[in-house]
């Protein structure tokens, strides 16, 4: 699957915004998911499912590491790795 980088960034921000019930424009790459966007543990699970649906990959339990979900940038790097594999 080939996704342009800017499109990938927008889709990640848009997916996080939907889970956080915010506008995409309110979600910046340097935002922390919990501290800045108020995402809780249940919403992290929703985010995982939404990322699978949006980008068409399946998560393995080994994929899920706390550091991958600390910030919008971390989620972007996670998705980039999954899409590339």
């Amino acid at each position: 699957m080939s996704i342009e980088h800017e499109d990938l960034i927008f889709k990640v921000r848009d997916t996080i915004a939907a889970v956080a019930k915010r506008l995409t424009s309110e979600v910046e790459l340097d935002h922390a998911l919990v501290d800045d966007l108020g995402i809780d543990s249940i919403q992290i699970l929703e985010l995982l499912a939404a990322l699978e649906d949006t980008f068409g990959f399946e998560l393995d339990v080994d994929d899920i590491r706390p550091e991958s979900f600390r910030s919008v940038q971390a989620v972007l790097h996670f998705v980039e790795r999954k899409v590339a594999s």
Side-chain angles (χ1 to χ4, degrees):
M1 175 196 310
S2 176
I3 298 178
E4 294 294 325
H5 189 68
E6 290 300 316
D7 190 37
L8 185 73
I9 292 170
F10 178 79
K11 285 184 177 184
V12 167
R13 288 177 57 225
D14 192 52
T15 303
I16 292 170
V19 169
K21 296 176 179 45
R22 293 177 177 254
L23 299 173
T24 303
S25 61
E26 296 176 318
V27 177
E28 298 296 332
L29 289 175
D30 63 345
H31 282 158
L33 297 186
V34 175
D35 294 339
D36 296 325
L37 300 174
I39 293 178
D40 63 24
S41 57
I42 299 299
Q43 288 172 307
I44 292 289
L45 296 175
E46 291 173 18
L47 177 59
L48 291 170
L51 292 171
E52 284 183 317
D53 290 344
T54 300
F55 296 101
F57 56 72
E58 287 191 30
L59 291 170
D60 186 277
V61 73
D62 294 333
D63 292 332
I64 303 169
R65 296 194 171 132
E67 61 271 12
S68 296
F69 299 93
R70 284 198 164 79
S71 69
V72 176
Q73 185 73 48
V75 173
L76 175 62
H77 288 311
F78 173 79
V79 170
E80 287 171 334
R81 285 191 307 273
K82 290 300 290 179
V83 169
S85 63

